[in-house]
Amino acid sequence: MSEKQNGALFNAAFTYTDAVLSDFEAMYRQKKEISPAMRIVLGALGAVGAVYFGWMLYRDGLSLTRVGYALICSVLLVVALSGGGRRPDESTAKYRTYYQDKQATFKIDENGVEMHLEGQKNYARSKFKEIYGLSDTDMCFYFVIKGKAYYILPRDSVGDAEALKKYMEKKCGKKFVHYDTK
């Protein structure tokens, strides 16, 4: 539902289903991954840097600066080879534990975003300036509020998804980053 209620510009009520949480997990994994092009760049910089600074260490002896640069280049190589997305992370499991099959209500008004989750006494409330990132998929909107904390809002629970998207971009001063989770 999307009609104005209680002074809110956008309202939504829904249940966190397996499909919604699976979409979140897919978006979260994709967000953590490093693109193949970036992996190539990081790998090349890491390899060239490690060889160069390794040679400098061999030729000119120990130097804190050269050791530091050689270590940084080695880290670039590790990041390039790991890809980022396959690192273990408990965040999505926590969302599934706490949200699965629970009713949620959202209210978005001039003051920010408010969410109430079934079984919780307190509301989660964030001002727009506390929203650090906006992401979306074909199924959901995601508002990053701190670290690994997200508001998850299914598109079909909001009457006019495009109006919500434009409103959030304007109020947060950020653009949505779209992830293809299909």
Side-chain angles (χ1 to χ4, degrees):
M1 75 184 164
S2 174
E3 61 276 356
K4 276 191 174 185
Q5 294 178 354
N6 305 327
L9 297 170
F10 297 93
N11 286 290
F14 57 90
T15 300
Y16 282 109
T17 63
D18 181 63
V20 168
L21 295 171
S22 293
D23 185 73
F24 171 66
E25 290 164 346
M27 182 278 308
Y28 190 82
R29 276 190 310 274
Q30 197 175 82
K31 189 175 181 180
K32 286 178 53 176
E33 286 180 1
I34 299 171
S35 72
M38 183 56 73
R39 289 174 64 187
I40 291 169
V41 169
L42 291 174
L45 287 173
V48 168
V51 168
Y52 175 77
F53 290 110
W55 170 250
M56 295 295 289
L57 280 169
Y58 174 75
R59 188 184 74 183
D60 299 334
L62 279 179
S63 158
L64 185 59
T65 303
R66 286 186 210 108
V67 170
Y69 284 134
L71 287 173
I72 289 170
C73 292
S74 299
V75 168
L76 289 177
L77 275 173
V78 170
V79 170
L81 294 174
S82 74
R86 291 180 289 279
R87 292 182 302 231
D89 190 322
E90 300 295 320
S91 295
T92 57
K94 289 178 185 175
Y95 277 87
R96 193 166 285 279
T97 299
Y98 292 112
Y99 285 37
Q100 183 75 48
D101 298 322
K102 297 254 174 89
Q103 293 269 332
T105 57
F106 268 81
K107 179 175 106 174
I108 301 173
D109 60 22
E110 286 295 322
N111 298 315
V113 177
E114 182 176 282
M115 180 190 90
H116 185 260
L117 187 63
E118 172 188 5
Q120 300 289 319
K121 290 182 182 180
N122 297 326
Y123 287 75
R125 183 125 183 73
S126 297
K127 295 177 182 176
F128 293 112
K129 67 181 180 180
E130 298 170 331
I131 297 175
Y132 301 109
L134 301 172
S135 302
D136 73 331
T137 63
D138 290 341
M139 181 179 275
C140 295
F141 291 111
Y142 301 100
F143 312 143
V144 184
I145 51 175
K146 57 183 168 186
K148 298 175 183 176
Y150 289 78
Y151 288 120
I152 303 170
L153 181 60
R155 281 180 177 269
D156 63 4
S157 68
V158 179
D160 189 347
E162 286 307 308
L164 172 68
K165 186 173 180 174
K166 289 177 185 173
Y167 182 77
M168 290 300 292
E169 287 180 338
K170 179 181 175 193
K171 294 302 272 186
C172 296
K174 295 168 179 45
K175 293 286 185 188
F176 274 88
V177 175
H178 184 76
Y179 292 93
D180 185 9
T181 56
K182 292 181 182 181

